[in-house]
Each structure stands twice: as C-alpha cells, then as structure tokens.
Amino acid sequence: MTDSGFPRRIQKLRERRRMNRKALSECCGLSKGMIAAYERGEREPSLGTLVELADFFEVPVDYLLGRQNFL
C-alpha cells in the first residue's frame, strides 16, 4: 500500500475526521467490512461510490485515485 494510492488516502481522510470504519460506513451507506476492504486494497469502489466518498470528504476524485495532491 503506497501513500498515493486509494487505500491509504481513504484511510487518512477517515482518520483525519476521527471517524471509525463503522461511522464512515453509516454516512456513506456501505458496510464496515467494505470500508476495511477498501483500506486494505482488497476491493475497489464503483464509480458511484468513489464519487460519493469524494463528495463526503470534499476532495476531488483524482485525489482519491492518487492522480492529484490535495491535502
């Protein structure tokens, strides 16, 4: 897992908001297990989920994908 990839970035954003996986899952309508799988790099979000996460964290999708620095 690299600092610039989706798994690390989603985890860093969640931790910056002092949220646990359950809280994020409830806000985004995902399971806690799915958030964990994203953070471990085991699963990739659908385009719709990616957009929803970007909107929730108020970051560009390109930031989540590691294509742009934002924070």
Short mmCIF file of all heavy atoms in Angstrom, two decimals:
data_model
loop_
_atom_site.label_atom_id
_atom_site.label_comp_id
_atom_site.label_asym_id
_atom_site.label_seq_id
_atom_site.Cartn_x
_atom_site.Cartn_y
_atom_site.Cartn_z
N MET A 1 0.85 -1.18 0.00
CA MET A 1 0.00 0.00 0.00
C MET A 1 0.89 1.24 0.00
O MET A 1 1.72 1.41 0.86
CB MET A 1 -0.90 -0.05 1.23
CG MET A 1 -1.83 1.09 1.34
SD MET A 1 -3.16 0.82 2.53
CE MET A 1 -2.32 0.54 4.04
N THR A 2 0.69 2.10 -0.95
CA THR A 2 1.50 3.31 -1.05
C THR A 2 0.72 4.50 -0.51
O THR A 2 -0.49 4.47 -0.43
CB THR A 2 1.90 3.59 -2.50
OG1 THR A 2 0.72 3.86 -3.25
CG2 THR A 2 2.63 2.42 -3.11
N ASP A 3 1.45 5.54 -0.15
CA ASP A 3 0.80 6.75 0.35
C ASP A 3 -0.08 7.41 -0.69
O ASP A 3 -1.00 8.12 -0.36
CB ASP A 3 1.86 7.76 0.82
CG ASP A 3 2.23 7.54 2.28
OD1 ASP A 3 1.58 6.72 2.94
OD2 ASP A 3 3.17 8.19 2.74
N SER A 4 0.24 7.20 -1.97
CA SER A 4 -0.51 7.91 -3.00
C SER A 4 -1.70 7.13 -3.53
O SER A 4 -2.46 7.64 -4.32
CB SER A 4 0.42 8.25 -4.17
OG SER A 4 0.94 7.05 -4.73
N GLY A 5 -1.89 5.90 -3.08
CA GLY A 5 -2.98 5.09 -3.61
C GLY A 5 -4.28 5.26 -2.84
O GLY A 5 -4.31 5.79 -1.72
N PHE A 6 -5.35 4.79 -3.46
CA PHE A 6 -6.67 4.91 -2.87
C PHE A 6 -6.75 4.35 -1.46
O PHE A 6 -7.29 5.01 -0.56
CB PHE A 6 -7.73 4.26 -3.78
CG PHE A 6 -9.09 4.24 -3.17
CD1 PHE A 6 -9.86 5.38 -3.13
CD2 PHE A 6 -9.60 3.07 -2.62
CE1 PHE A 6 -11.12 5.38 -2.55
CE2 PHE A 6 -10.86 3.05 -2.05
CZ PHE A 6 -11.62 4.20 -2.01
N PRO A 7 -6.24 3.13 -1.20
CA PRO A 7 -6.39 2.58 0.16
C PRO A 7 -5.84 3.49 1.25
O PRO A 7 -6.49 3.74 2.27
CB PRO A 7 -5.62 1.26 0.10
CG PRO A 7 -5.68 0.86 -1.34
CD PRO A 7 -5.59 2.17 -2.10
N ARG A 8 -4.65 4.00 1.04
CA ARG A 8 -4.04 4.86 2.05
C ARG A 8 -4.76 6.20 2.17
O ARG A 8 -4.96 6.72 3.26
CB ARG A 8 -2.55 5.08 1.72
CG ARG A 8 -1.84 5.93 2.72
CD ARG A 8 -1.68 5.22 4.06
NE ARG A 8 -1.07 6.13 5.03
CZ ARG A 8 -1.55 6.33 6.24
NH1 ARG A 8 -2.59 5.68 6.66
NH2 ARG A 8 -0.96 7.18 7.05
N ARG A 9 -5.17 6.74 1.05
CA ARG A 9 -5.82 8.06 1.09
C ARG A 9 -7.18 8.01 1.77
O ARG A 9 -7.52 8.90 2.54
CB ARG A 9 -5.92 8.64 -0.32
CG ARG A 9 -4.54 9.07 -0.79
CD ARG A 9 -4.57 9.83 -2.07
NE ARG A 9 -3.20 10.25 -2.38
CZ ARG A 9 -2.90 11.26 -3.15
NH1 ARG A 9 -3.85 11.96 -3.71
NH2 ARG A 9 -1.64 11.58 -3.38
N ILE A 10 -7.95 6.96 1.50
CA ILE A 10 -9.27 6.88 2.14
C ILE A 10 -9.10 6.69 3.65
O ILE A 10 -9.84 7.28 4.44
CB ILE A 10 -10.15 5.79 1.48
CG1 ILE A 10 -11.62 5.97 1.85
CG2 ILE A 10 -9.71 4.40 1.85
CD1 ILE A 10 -12.27 7.14 1.21
N GLN A 11 -8.10 5.92 4.04
CA GLN A 11 -7.84 5.72 5.46
C GLN A 11 -7.39 7.03 6.13
O GLN A 11 -7.87 7.37 7.21
CB GLN A 11 -6.77 4.65 5.66
CG GLN A 11 -6.48 4.37 7.11
CD GLN A 11 -5.44 3.28 7.30
OE1 GLN A 11 -4.93 2.71 6.34
NE2 GLN A 11 -5.10 3.01 8.54
N LYS A 12 -6.50 7.76 5.48
CA LYS A 12 -6.03 9.02 6.04
C LYS A 12 -7.17 10.02 6.19
O LYS A 12 -7.26 10.72 7.20
CB LYS A 12 -4.92 9.61 5.17
CG LYS A 12 -3.59 8.90 5.34
CD LYS A 12 -2.56 9.39 4.35
CE LYS A 12 -2.07 10.77 4.69
NZ LYS A 12 -0.93 11.19 3.83
N LEU A 13 -8.04 10.10 5.19
CA LEU A 13 -9.17 11.03 5.27
C LEU A 13 -10.10 10.64 6.43
O LEU A 13 -10.57 11.51 7.17
CB LEU A 13 -9.94 11.04 3.95
CG LEU A 13 -9.24 11.75 2.80
CD1 LEU A 13 -9.94 11.41 1.48
CD2 LEU A 13 -9.20 13.24 3.01
N ARG A 14 -10.37 9.36 6.55
CA ARG A 14 -11.24 8.89 7.63
C ARG A 14 -10.62 9.22 8.99
O ARG A 14 -11.30 9.74 9.88
CB ARG A 14 -11.46 7.38 7.49
CG ARG A 14 -12.31 6.79 8.61
CD ARG A 14 -12.52 5.31 8.44
NE ARG A 14 -11.30 4.53 8.45
CZ ARG A 14 -10.58 4.22 9.53
NH1 ARG A 14 -10.96 4.66 10.73
NH2 ARG A 14 -9.50 3.47 9.44
N GLU A 15 -9.33 8.94 9.14
CA GLU A 15 -8.66 9.20 10.41
C GLU A 15 -8.57 10.69 10.73
O GLU A 15 -8.67 11.08 11.89
CB GLU A 15 -7.28 8.57 10.40
CG GLU A 15 -7.33 7.05 10.44
CD GLU A 15 -6.00 6.37 10.23
OE1 GLU A 15 -5.00 7.07 9.87
OE2 GLU A 15 -5.93 5.14 10.42
N ARG A 16 -8.41 11.52 9.71
CA ARG A 16 -8.38 12.97 9.94
C ARG A 16 -9.68 13.47 10.52
O ARG A 16 -9.70 14.43 11.30
CB ARG A 16 -8.12 13.71 8.63
CG ARG A 16 -6.68 13.90 8.38
CD ARG A 16 -6.43 15.07 7.44
NE ARG A 16 -4.99 15.09 7.24
CZ ARG A 16 -4.38 14.86 6.10
NH1 ARG A 16 -5.09 14.67 5.02
NH2 ARG A 16 -3.08 14.86 6.03
N ARG A 17 -10.76 12.83 10.13
CA ARG A 17 -12.07 13.22 10.68
C ARG A 17 -12.37 12.51 12.00
O ARG A 17 -13.48 12.63 12.52
CB ARG A 17 -13.17 12.92 9.67
CG ARG A 17 -13.11 13.83 8.47
CD ARG A 17 -14.47 14.19 8.01
NE ARG A 17 -14.39 15.07 6.86
CZ ARG A 17 -15.41 15.33 6.08
NH1 ARG A 17 -16.56 14.77 6.30
NH2 ARG A 17 -15.26 16.15 5.08
N ARG A 18 -11.39 11.74 12.46
CA ARG A 18 -11.55 10.98 13.70
C ARG A 18 -12.78 10.08 13.65
O ARG A 18 -13.54 9.98 14.62
CB ARG A 18 -11.58 11.90 14.90
CG ARG A 18 -10.28 12.63 15.10
CD ARG A 18 -10.26 13.38 16.42
NE ARG A 18 -8.93 13.88 16.69
CZ ARG A 18 -8.57 15.15 16.58
NH1 ARG A 18 -9.45 16.05 16.22
NH2 ARG A 18 -7.33 15.51 16.85
N MET A 19 -12.94 9.43 12.52
CA MET A 19 -14.06 8.51 12.31
C MET A 19 -13.55 7.08 12.35
O MET A 19 -12.46 6.81 11.86
CB MET A 19 -14.71 8.73 10.94
CG MET A 19 -15.30 10.08 10.71
SD MET A 19 -15.99 10.21 9.04
CE MET A 19 -17.58 9.45 9.34
N ASN A 20 -14.36 6.19 12.90
CA ASN A 20 -14.02 4.79 12.75
C ASN A 20 -14.71 4.27 11.48
O ASN A 20 -15.47 4.98 10.84
CB ASN A 20 -14.40 3.98 14.00
CG ASN A 20 -15.88 4.05 14.32
OD1 ASN A 20 -16.72 4.18 13.44
ND2 ASN A 20 -16.20 3.95 15.60
N ARG A 21 -14.39 3.05 11.13
CA ARG A 21 -14.95 2.49 9.89
C ARG A 21 -16.47 2.40 9.93
O ARG A 21 -17.14 2.61 8.93
CB ARG A 21 -14.33 1.13 9.61
CG ARG A 21 -12.88 1.21 9.21
CD ARG A 21 -12.28 -0.15 9.04
NE ARG A 21 -10.89 -0.03 8.61
CZ ARG A 21 -9.99 -0.96 8.82
NH1 ARG A 21 -10.32 -2.08 9.43
NH2 ARG A 21 -8.76 -0.79 8.40
N LYS A 22 -17.00 2.09 11.10
CA LYS A 22 -18.46 1.98 11.23
C LYS A 22 -19.13 3.32 10.96
O LYS A 22 -20.13 3.39 10.25
CB LYS A 22 -18.82 1.48 12.63
CG LYS A 22 -20.30 1.30 12.81
CD LYS A 22 -20.65 0.79 14.18
CE LYS A 22 -22.16 0.62 14.26
NZ LYS A 22 -22.63 0.38 15.59
N ALA A 23 -18.59 4.39 11.50
CA ALA A 23 -19.18 5.72 11.30
C ALA A 23 -19.14 6.10 9.82
O ALA A 23 -20.13 6.62 9.28
CB ALA A 23 -18.45 6.76 12.14
N LEU A 24 -18.01 5.85 9.16
CA LEU A 24 -17.92 6.16 7.73
C LEU A 24 -18.90 5.31 6.94
O LEU A 24 -19.57 5.81 6.03
CB LEU A 24 -16.50 5.95 7.22
CG LEU A 24 -16.29 6.20 5.73
CD1 LEU A 24 -16.70 7.62 5.33
CD2 LEU A 24 -14.84 5.93 5.34
N SER A 25 -19.00 4.05 7.28
CA SER A 25 -19.91 3.17 6.54
C SER A 25 -21.36 3.65 6.67
O SER A 25 -22.12 3.63 5.71
CB SER A 25 -19.78 1.72 7.03
OG SER A 25 -20.30 1.55 8.32
N GLU A 26 -21.74 4.11 7.85
CA GLU A 26 -23.09 4.62 8.06
C GLU A 26 -23.35 5.90 7.28
O GLU A 26 -24.44 6.11 6.76
CB GLU A 26 -23.36 4.82 9.55
CG GLU A 26 -23.44 3.51 10.31
CD GLU A 26 -23.50 3.68 11.81
OE1 GLU A 26 -23.38 4.83 12.32
OE2 GLU A 26 -23.66 2.66 12.50
N CYS A 27 -22.35 6.75 7.18
CA CYS A 27 -22.50 8.01 6.43
C CYS A 27 -22.62 7.77 4.93
O CYS A 27 -23.27 8.55 4.24
CB CYS A 27 -21.31 8.93 6.71
SG CYS A 27 -21.28 9.61 8.36
N CYS A 28 -21.97 6.73 4.45
CA CYS A 28 -21.91 6.51 3.00
C CYS A 28 -22.77 5.33 2.54
O CYS A 28 -22.75 5.01 1.35
CB CYS A 28 -20.46 6.28 2.58
SG CYS A 28 -19.45 7.74 2.85
N GLY A 29 -23.47 4.69 3.45
CA GLY A 29 -24.32 3.58 3.07
C GLY A 29 -23.56 2.34 2.63
O GLY A 29 -24.03 1.59 1.78
N LEU A 30 -22.38 2.14 3.19
CA LEU A 30 -21.57 0.96 2.89
C LEU A 30 -21.41 0.13 4.15
O LEU A 30 -21.64 0.62 5.25
CB LEU A 30 -20.18 1.40 2.40
CG LEU A 30 -20.14 2.28 1.16
CD1 LEU A 30 -18.76 2.91 1.01
CD2 LEU A 30 -20.49 1.46 -0.07
N SER A 31 -20.98 -1.11 4.01
CA SER A 31 -20.73 -1.91 5.19
C SER A 31 -19.36 -1.57 5.76
O SER A 31 -18.47 -1.12 5.04
CB SER A 31 -20.79 -3.41 4.85
OG SER A 31 -19.66 -3.79 4.09
N LYS A 32 -19.21 -1.82 7.05
CA LYS A 32 -17.92 -1.60 7.71
C LYS A 32 -16.86 -2.50 7.06
O LYS A 32 -15.72 -2.09 6.88
CB LYS A 32 -18.06 -1.90 9.20
CG LYS A 32 -16.80 -1.64 9.99
CD LYS A 32 -17.04 -1.84 11.48
CE LYS A 32 -16.92 -3.30 11.82
NZ LYS A 32 -16.85 -3.58 13.25
N GLY A 33 -17.25 -3.69 6.70
CA GLY A 33 -16.33 -4.62 6.04
C GLY A 33 -15.86 -4.12 4.69
O GLY A 33 -14.72 -4.36 4.30
N MET A 34 -16.74 -3.42 3.97
CA MET A 34 -16.36 -2.88 2.66
C MET A 34 -15.34 -1.76 2.83
O MET A 34 -14.36 -1.70 2.09
CB MET A 34 -17.59 -2.36 1.92
CG MET A 34 -17.29 -1.92 0.51
SD MET A 34 -16.67 -3.23 -0.56
CE MET A 34 -18.14 -4.18 -0.81
N ILE A 35 -15.54 -0.90 3.82
CA ILE A 35 -14.57 0.15 4.10
C ILE A 35 -13.22 -0.48 4.43
O ILE A 35 -12.17 -0.05 3.93
CB ILE A 35 -15.03 1.06 5.26
CG1 ILE A 35 -16.37 1.75 4.94
CG2 ILE A 35 -13.95 2.08 5.62
CD1 ILE A 35 -16.34 2.72 3.80
N ALA A 36 -13.22 -1.51 5.25
CA ALA A 36 -11.97 -2.19 5.61
C ALA A 36 -11.31 -2.79 4.38
O ALA A 36 -10.09 -2.69 4.22
CB ALA A 36 -12.25 -3.27 6.66
N ALA A 37 -12.09 -3.39 3.50
CA ALA A 37 -11.54 -3.99 2.28
C ALA A 37 -10.93 -2.92 1.37
O ALA A 37 -9.89 -3.15 0.75
CB ALA A 37 -12.62 -4.77 1.54
N TYR A 38 -11.57 -1.75 1.29
CA TYR A 38 -11.00 -0.65 0.51
C TYR A 38 -9.65 -0.23 1.10
O TYR A 38 -8.69 -0.03 0.38
CB TYR A 38 -11.92 0.57 0.52
CG TYR A 38 -13.22 0.44 -0.24
CD1 TYR A 38 -14.28 1.28 0.06
CD2 TYR A 38 -13.40 -0.50 -1.23
CE1 TYR A 38 -15.47 1.19 -0.62
CE2 TYR A 38 -14.60 -0.60 -1.92
CZ TYR A 38 -15.63 0.25 -1.61
OH TYR A 38 -16.83 0.17 -2.28
N GLU A 39 -9.60 -0.09 2.42
CA GLU A 39 -8.39 0.37 3.08
C GLU A 39 -7.25 -0.65 2.99
O GLU A 39 -6.09 -0.27 3.02
CB GLU A 39 -8.68 0.74 4.53
CG GLU A 39 -9.53 1.98 4.66
CD GLU A 39 -9.79 2.40 6.09
OE1 GLU A 39 -9.31 1.72 7.03
OE2 GLU A 39 -10.48 3.41 6.28
N ARG A 40 -7.59 -1.92 2.90
CA ARG A 40 -6.56 -2.96 2.74
C ARG A 40 -6.18 -3.17 1.28
O ARG A 40 -5.26 -3.93 0.99
CB ARG A 40 -7.05 -4.27 3.34
CG ARG A 40 -7.15 -4.28 4.85
CD ARG A 40 -7.42 -5.67 5.39
NE ARG A 40 -8.62 -6.28 4.84
CZ ARG A 40 -9.81 -6.31 5.43
NH1 ARG A 40 -9.96 -5.75 6.63
NH2 ARG A 40 -10.85 -6.88 4.86
N GLY A 41 -6.89 -2.52 0.38
CA GLY A 41 -6.60 -2.68 -1.04
C GLY A 41 -7.15 -3.96 -1.63
O GLY A 41 -6.74 -4.37 -2.72
N GLU A 42 -8.08 -4.59 -0.94
CA GLU A 42 -8.67 -5.85 -1.41
C GLU A 42 -9.82 -5.65 -2.38
O GLU A 42 -10.13 -6.54 -3.16
CB GLU A 42 -9.16 -6.67 -0.22
CG GLU A 42 -8.07 -7.07 0.73
CD GLU A 42 -8.57 -7.70 2.01
OE1 GLU A 42 -9.80 -7.74 2.25
OE2 GLU A 42 -7.72 -8.13 2.79
N ARG A 43 -10.45 -4.50 -2.30
CA ARG A 43 -11.58 -4.18 -3.18
C ARG A 43 -11.40 -2.77 -3.69
O ARG A 43 -10.76 -1.94 -3.06
CB ARG A 43 -12.92 -4.24 -2.41
CG ARG A 43 -13.29 -5.55 -1.79
CD ARG A 43 -13.84 -6.57 -2.76
NE ARG A 43 -14.93 -6.12 -3.58
CZ ARG A 43 -16.21 -6.39 -3.38
NH1 ARG A 43 -16.58 -7.10 -2.34
NH2 ARG A 43 -17.12 -5.96 -4.22
N GLU A 44 -12.01 -2.51 -4.84
CA GLU A 44 -12.02 -1.16 -5.40
C GLU A 44 -13.46 -0.69 -5.48
O GLU A 44 -14.36 -1.47 -5.80
CB GLU A 44 -11.39 -1.16 -6.78
CG GLU A 44 -9.91 -1.47 -6.76
CD GLU A 44 -9.28 -1.39 -8.13
OE1 GLU A 44 -10.00 -1.10 -9.12
OE2 GLU A 44 -8.07 -1.62 -8.22
N PRO A 45 -13.69 0.59 -5.20
CA PRO A 45 -15.06 1.10 -5.21
C PRO A 45 -15.58 1.25 -6.63
O PRO A 45 -14.81 1.44 -7.58
CB PRO A 45 -14.94 2.46 -4.53
CG PRO A 45 -13.54 2.89 -4.83
CD PRO A 45 -12.72 1.63 -4.84
N SER A 46 -16.88 1.19 -6.75
CA SER A 46 -17.52 1.50 -8.04
C SER A 46 -17.35 3.00 -8.29
O SER A 46 -17.01 3.76 -7.37
CB SER A 46 -19.00 1.15 -8.00
OG SER A 46 -19.68 2.03 -7.09
N LEU A 47 -17.61 3.41 -9.50
CA LEU A 47 -17.52 4.84 -9.83
C LEU A 47 -18.46 5.65 -8.95
O LEU A 47 -18.08 6.70 -8.42
CB LEU A 47 -17.82 5.07 -11.31
CG LEU A 47 -17.76 6.52 -11.78
CD1 LEU A 47 -16.39 7.11 -11.51
CD2 LEU A 47 -18.10 6.60 -13.25
N GLY A 48 -19.67 5.17 -8.76
CA GLY A 48 -20.63 5.89 -7.93
C GLY A 48 -20.16 6.03 -6.49
O GLY A 48 -20.31 7.10 -5.88
N THR A 49 -19.60 4.97 -5.94
CA THR A 49 -19.10 5.01 -4.58
C THR A 49 -17.90 5.94 -4.48
O THR A 49 -17.77 6.70 -3.51
CB THR A 49 -18.72 3.60 -4.10
OG1 THR A 49 -19.90 2.78 -4.12
CG2 THR A 49 -18.14 3.62 -2.70
N LEU A 50 -17.05 5.91 -5.48
CA LEU A 50 -15.89 6.80 -5.50
C LEU A 50 -16.32 8.26 -5.46
O LEU A 50 -15.80 9.06 -4.69
CB LEU A 50 -15.06 6.51 -6.74
CG LEU A 50 -13.67 7.08 -6.81
CD1 LEU A 50 -12.79 6.56 -5.69
CD2 LEU A 50 -13.04 6.76 -8.15
N VAL A 51 -17.31 8.60 -6.26
CA VAL A 51 -17.83 9.97 -6.29
C VAL A 51 -18.47 10.32 -4.95
O VAL A 51 -18.26 11.42 -4.41
CB VAL A 51 -18.84 10.14 -7.45
CG1 VAL A 51 -19.58 11.47 -7.35
CG2 VAL A 51 -18.13 10.03 -8.79
N GLU A 52 -19.21 9.38 -4.37
CA GLU A 52 -19.85 9.63 -3.09
C GLU A 52 -18.80 9.87 -1.99
O GLU A 52 -18.95 10.78 -1.17
CB GLU A 52 -20.73 8.44 -2.70
CG GLU A 52 -21.57 8.69 -1.48
CD GLU A 52 -22.56 7.58 -1.21
OE1 GLU A 52 -22.93 6.84 -2.13
OE2 GLU A 52 -22.97 7.47 -0.04
N LEU A 53 -17.75 9.08 -1.98
CA LEU A 53 -16.68 9.27 -0.99
C LEU A 53 -15.97 10.60 -1.20
O LEU A 53 -15.67 11.31 -0.24
CB LEU A 53 -15.68 8.12 -1.06
CG LEU A 53 -16.18 6.78 -0.51
CD1 LEU A 53 -15.25 5.65 -0.92
CD2 LEU A 53 -16.34 6.84 1.00
N ALA A 54 -15.70 10.96 -2.45
CA ALA A 54 -15.06 12.24 -2.75
C ALA A 54 -15.94 13.39 -2.28
O ALA A 54 -15.44 14.36 -1.68
CB ALA A 54 -14.76 12.35 -4.24
N ASP A 55 -17.23 13.31 -2.54
CA ASP A 55 -18.15 14.35 -2.09
C ASP A 55 -18.18 14.43 -0.56
O ASP A 55 -18.17 15.52 0.02
CB ASP A 55 -19.55 14.11 -2.63
CG ASP A 55 -19.68 14.39 -4.11
OD1 ASP A 55 -18.75 14.99 -4.70
OD2 ASP A 55 -20.71 13.98 -4.69
N PHE A 56 -18.25 13.28 0.08
CA PHE A 56 -18.31 13.25 1.54
C PHE A 56 -17.08 13.91 2.16
O PHE A 56 -17.18 14.71 3.09
CB PHE A 56 -18.44 11.81 2.05
CG PHE A 56 -18.46 11.72 3.55
CD1 PHE A 56 -19.60 12.05 4.27
CD2 PHE A 56 -17.32 11.33 4.25
CE1 PHE A 56 -19.61 12.00 5.65
CE2 PHE A 56 -17.32 11.28 5.63
CZ PHE A 56 -18.46 11.60 6.34
N PHE A 57 -15.89 13.58 1.64
CA PHE A 57 -14.66 14.13 2.18
C PHE A 57 -14.27 15.47 1.57
O PHE A 57 -13.27 16.07 1.94
CB PHE A 57 -13.51 13.14 2.01
CG PHE A 57 -13.59 11.96 2.94
CD1 PHE A 57 -13.81 10.70 2.46
CD2 PHE A 57 -13.45 12.14 4.31
CE1 PHE A 57 -13.88 9.60 3.32
CE2 PHE A 57 -13.53 11.06 5.18
CZ PHE A 57 -13.74 9.79 4.68
N GLU A 58 -15.08 15.93 0.61
CA GLU A 58 -14.85 17.22 -0.06
C GLU A 58 -13.47 17.29 -0.70
O GLU A 58 -12.71 18.25 -0.50
CB GLU A 58 -15.08 18.38 0.92
CG GLU A 58 -16.49 18.42 1.46
CD GLU A 58 -16.73 19.50 2.48
OE1 GLU A 58 -15.78 19.88 3.22
OE2 GLU A 58 -17.87 19.98 2.56
N VAL A 59 -13.14 16.24 -1.45
CA VAL A 59 -11.89 16.16 -2.20
C VAL A 59 -12.21 15.75 -3.63
O VAL A 59 -13.25 15.14 -3.88
CB VAL A 59 -10.89 15.15 -1.58
CG1 VAL A 59 -10.48 15.56 -0.18
CG2 VAL A 59 -11.45 13.73 -1.59
N PRO A 60 -11.33 16.06 -4.57
CA PRO A 60 -11.56 15.61 -5.95
C PRO A 60 -11.38 14.09 -6.06
O PRO A 60 -10.58 13.50 -5.34
CB PRO A 60 -10.47 16.33 -6.75
CG PRO A 60 -9.89 17.36 -5.86
CD PRO A 60 -10.17 16.94 -4.45
N VAL A 61 -12.09 13.48 -6.97
CA VAL A 61 -11.93 12.05 -7.24
C VAL A 61 -10.48 11.75 -7.59
O VAL A 61 -9.93 10.72 -7.16
CB VAL A 61 -12.90 11.59 -8.35
CG1 VAL A 61 -12.57 10.18 -8.81
CG2 VAL A 61 -14.34 11.68 -7.89
N ASP A 62 -9.85 12.64 -8.34
CA ASP A 62 -8.45 12.43 -8.71
C ASP A 62 -7.54 12.34 -7.49
O ASP A 62 -6.53 11.64 -7.52
CB ASP A 62 -7.95 13.53 -9.65
CG ASP A 62 -8.31 13.27 -11.10
OD1 ASP A 62 -8.81 12.17 -11.41
OD2 ASP A 62 -8.09 14.18 -11.93
N TYR A 63 -7.87 13.03 -6.41
CA TYR A 63 -7.09 12.90 -5.19
C TYR A 63 -7.22 11.48 -4.64
O TYR A 63 -6.23 10.85 -4.28
CB TYR A 63 -7.51 13.92 -4.13
CG TYR A 63 -6.84 13.64 -2.81
CD1 TYR A 63 -5.51 13.99 -2.61
CD2 TYR A 63 -7.50 12.97 -1.79
CE1 TYR A 63 -4.86 13.69 -1.41
CE2 TYR A 63 -6.86 12.67 -0.60
CZ TYR A 63 -5.55 13.02 -0.42
OH TYR A 63 -4.91 12.71 0.75
N LEU A 64 -8.45 10.97 -4.57
CA LEU A 64 -8.65 9.62 -4.05
C LEU A 64 -7.91 8.58 -4.88
O LEU A 64 -7.42 7.59 -4.36
CB LEU A 64 -10.14 9.27 -4.01
CG LEU A 64 -10.99 9.98 -2.95
CD1 LEU A 64 -12.43 9.53 -3.08
CD2 LEU A 64 -10.46 9.73 -1.57
N LEU A 65 -7.82 8.82 -6.17
CA LEU A 65 -7.16 7.88 -7.06
C LEU A 65 -5.64 8.03 -7.08
O LEU A 65 -4.95 7.26 -7.74
CB LEU A 65 -7.71 8.04 -8.49
CG LEU A 65 -9.17 7.68 -8.67
CD1 LEU A 65 -9.62 8.00 -10.08
CD2 LEU A 65 -9.42 6.21 -8.31
N GLY A 66 -5.12 9.03 -6.38
CA GLY A 66 -3.68 9.22 -6.33
C GLY A 66 -3.14 9.98 -7.52
O GLY A 66 -1.93 10.01 -7.76
N ARG A 67 -4.01 10.60 -8.30
CA ARG A 67 -3.59 11.33 -9.50
C ARG A 67 -3.35 12.80 -9.22
O ARG A 67 -2.90 13.53 -10.09
CB ARG A 67 -4.66 11.19 -10.59
CG ARG A 67 -4.86 9.77 -11.05
CD ARG A 67 -6.07 9.61 -11.95
NE ARG A 67 -6.26 10.71 -12.85
CZ ARG A 67 -6.09 10.66 -14.17
NH1 ARG A 67 -5.75 9.54 -14.74
NH2 ARG A 67 -6.32 11.73 -14.90
N GLN A 68 -3.68 13.26 -8.03
CA GLN A 68 -3.57 14.68 -7.70
C GLN A 68 -3.34 14.80 -6.20
O GLN A 68 -3.91 14.05 -5.43
CB GLN A 68 -4.88 15.36 -8.08
CG GLN A 68 -5.02 16.78 -7.64
CD GLN A 68 -6.41 17.35 -7.97
OE1 GLN A 68 -7.18 16.76 -8.69
NE2 GLN A 68 -6.71 18.48 -7.40
N ASN A 69 -2.50 15.73 -5.81
CA ASN A 69 -2.33 16.04 -4.40
C ASN A 69 -3.33 17.11 -4.03
O ASN A 69 -3.57 18.04 -4.78
CB ASN A 69 -0.92 16.50 -4.09
CG ASN A 69 0.06 15.36 -4.16
OD1 ASN A 69 -0.29 14.22 -3.86
ND2 ASN A 69 1.27 15.65 -4.56
N PHE A 70 -3.91 16.98 -2.86
CA PHE A 70 -4.94 17.93 -2.45
C PHE A 70 -4.67 18.46 -1.06
O PHE A 70 -4.80 19.63 -0.80
CB PHE A 70 -6.32 17.27 -2.51
CG PHE A 70 -7.45 18.18 -2.18
CD1 PHE A 70 -7.85 19.18 -3.05
CD2 PHE A 70 -8.12 18.06 -0.98
CE1 PHE A 70 -8.91 20.02 -2.75
CE2 PHE A 70 -9.18 18.90 -0.66
CZ PHE A 70 -9.57 19.87 -1.54
N LEU A 71 -4.33 17.58 -0.14
CA LEU A 71 -4.17 17.97 1.25
C LEU A 71 -2.73 18.22 1.59
O LEU A 71 -1.85 17.69 1.05
CB LEU A 71 -4.74 16.89 2.16
CG LEU A 71 -6.21 16.58 1.91
CD1 LEU A 71 -6.64 15.40 2.76
CD2 LEU A 71 -7.08 17.76 2.23
#
